[in-house]
């Protein structure tokens, strides 16, 4: 059994997911688990990348699972996303950690964020990156991912994400929250206005 991402150990598991694992990639990142995603069909190159980066390949591709390479491959036969996600959680000892919840960009897997200044927020609104909607009147903090420049904020969909993640993990919703504090430079895990996870 490998060290879980929610345990804070020195040997935390990292994943490399193929194109069949779309929803799981987002959910794992939501938990703060380092999860890279690839679309390539070249099994040898995928295994080589995973071995080089110290990642476990997660796949539903039986042919890939049967390949001999330098990386560990975890085969998931279940096509149901929720059950497959639970399978990975159970077998790798993953758990919910407030300091890691929403700590990775759901789009690119980066874990570095910068708080936008009021001037930058105004520029993003002007460019259409941040939509003008009533809920933003109560939002004072916006963040940009240092990896892909996607803009995040803690909006109403954050609560929806908490509830849905709690359901997937079979937890009370009160146990699913981010425990991050934002410093004056704005660097902190993301407060994400998520699209529905499920």
């Amino acid at each position: 059994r490998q060290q879980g991402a929610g345990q804070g150990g020195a040997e935390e598991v990292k994943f490399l997911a193929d194109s069949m694992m779309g929803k799981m990639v987002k959910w794992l990142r939501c938990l703060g688990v380092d999860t890279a995603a690839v679309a390539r069909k070249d099994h040898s190159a995928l295994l080589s990348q995973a071995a080089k980066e110290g990642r476990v390949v997660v796949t539903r591709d039986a042919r890939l699972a049967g390949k001999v390479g330098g990386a560990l491959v975890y085969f998931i036969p279940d096509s149901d996303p929720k059950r497959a996600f639970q399978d990975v959680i159970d077998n790798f000892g993953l758990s919910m950690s407030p300091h890691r919840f929403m700590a990775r960009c759901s789009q690119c897997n980066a874990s570095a964020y910068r708080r936008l200044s009021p001037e930058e927020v105004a520029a993003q609104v002007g460019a259409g990156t941040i939509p003008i909607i009533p809920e933003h009147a109560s939002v004072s903090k916006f963040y940009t991912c240092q990896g892909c420049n996607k803009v995040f904020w803690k909006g109403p969909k954050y609560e929806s994400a908490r509830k849905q993640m709690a359901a997937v993990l079979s937890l009370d919703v009160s146990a699913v929250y981010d425990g991050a504090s934002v410093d004056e430079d704005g660097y902190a895990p993301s407060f994400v206005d998520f699209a529905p996870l499920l």
Side-chain angles (χ1 to χ4, degrees), residues 3-84:
Q3 180 71 38
Q7 309 302 317
E11 297 182 9
E12 296 175 344
V13 66
K14 299 188 297 183
F15 294 109
L16 179 64
D18 66 15
S19 57
M20 294 183 176
M21 310 306 297
K23 285 187 177 180
M24 183 181 292
V25 169
K26 179 177 285 190
W27 294 342
L28 286 169
R29 290 173 178 172
C30 192
L31 282 182
V33 180
D34 186 345
T35 307
V38 294
R40 65 166 60 99
K41 300 294 184 181
D42 185 337
H43 290 170
S44 295
L46 190 152
L47 291 170
S48 177
Q49 178 183 343
K52 182 178 180 181
E53 298 176 3
R55 297 180 182 276
V56 176
V57 176
V58 180
T59 184
R60 285 181 49 229
D61 186 339
R63 292 179 301 168
L64 173 57
K67 292 280 186 180
V68 177
L72 294 175
V73 179
Y74 189 73
F75 176 61
I76 300 176
D78 202 322
S79 61
D80 179 79
K82 287 185 183 179
R83 289 196 298 266

Side-chain angles (χ1 to χ4, degrees), residues 22-37 55 99-114 143-153 188-195 197:
K23 285 187 177 180
M24 183 181 292
V25 169
K26 179 177 285 190
W27 294 342
L28 286 169
R29 290 173 178 172
C30 192
L31 282 182
V33 180
D34 186 345
T35 307
R55 297 180 182 276
H99 291 285
R100 301 187 64 131
F101 182 58
M102 301 289 195
R104 285 190 174 273
C105 177
S106 60
Q107 182 164 295
C108 77
N109 194 44
S111 59
Y113 292 80
R114 183 178 63 83
Y143 304 85
T144 184
C145 170
Q146 299 282 65
C148 65
N149 297 317
K150 182 175 176 62
V151 177
F152 296 93
W153 60 92
S190 63
F191 298 134
V192 184
D193 190 27
F194 257 75
L197 291 171

Side-chain angles (χ1 to χ4, degrees), residues 170-182:
S170 300
L171 295 173
D172 185 272
V173 70
S174 64
V176 180
Y177 62 96
D178 66 74
S181 59
V182 182

Side-chain angles (χ1 to χ4, degrees), residues 126-139:
T129 307
I130 300 177
I132 302 175
I133 51 179
E135 71 185 54
H136 286 167
S138 62
V139 177

